[in-house]
Structure formats: C-alpha cells, structure tokens
Amino acid sequence: MTVAELIKVLTQIEDQETRVMVRGYERGVNNIEDIIPAIENIALDVNDEWYYGRHEVQNFDHEYRDKQIVQAIILTGHNASMGSK
C-alpha cells in the first residue's frame, strides 16, 4: 500500500475521530505509538516463515542483493503500560 492509497482509504471513513490501531503480538490490539518519520529501506518477500513478517528491513547485518528494495514508512504499536488508555 502506498501513502496515497492509505490516505484515500482513510479519507473515506465518515467519522474522522475513529482510532487507528495495530494488532498485538499474540492477542489484542495496540494504539499506534510511532510513525517512524525516516523512510526505511525494505527488502521485499524475504521471509517464508508464518511467524515472521513477509518483508525485512534492509540493514548492515543482512544484505538482500537479489531482492527488490523499496522505501516504506513503518507504523508501530506497543504496550506502553497496562494502566494507560
């Protein structure tokens, strides 16, 4: 999904105060806590295991020379504290 595609989907939501969340690791959902402003280089289609994400952040430990590399913005969520809302 591109930024333009995401904006198009989100602008079609009638209630613009609707929360946006991400799935938790095993269960539940979390607030989006971060939108990494720096664009990450992502190697596409590198993981086959069901418990890994399909794509991988390109870093100095692993170079994916034979894979397509794209730039992406990463949305993340975490359990900041059990008492927060």
Side-chain angles (χ1 to χ4, degrees):
M1 176 173 276
T2 66
V3 170
E5 291 168 334
L6 178 60
I7 290 169
K8 184 177 179 181
V9 168
L10 294 177
T11 57
Q12 292 174 0
I13 296 171
E14 186 174 326
D15 181 0
Q16 289 290 299
E17 295 302 314
T18 300
R19 295 182 132 206
V20 178
M21 298 186 177
V22 294
R23 294 202 178 275
Y25 177 69
E26 288 192 19
R27 291 184 54 193
V29 295
N30 289 314
N31 293 321
I32 293 177
E33 299 291 338
D34 298 308
I35 296 177
I36 299 172
I39 295 176
E40 296 277 355
N41 289 322
I42 306 295
L44 297 181
D45 301 316
V46 299
N47 294 322
D48 294 327
E49 297 83 357
W50 66 269
Y51 46 87
Y52 287 149
R54 183 173 175 182
H55 314 297
E56 195 70 62
V57 174
Q58 170 79 37
N59 59 40
F60 295 110
D61 295 334
H62 295 90
E63 290 191 38
Y64 301 98
R65 291 190 178 112
D66 60 334
K67 298 294 183 179
Q68 181 181 4
I69 307 296
V70 299
Q71 293 186 328
I73 295 170
I74 310 298
L75 305 178
T76 61
H78 59 87
N79 293 331
S81 71
M82 296 305 291
S84 67
K85 294 183 180 182

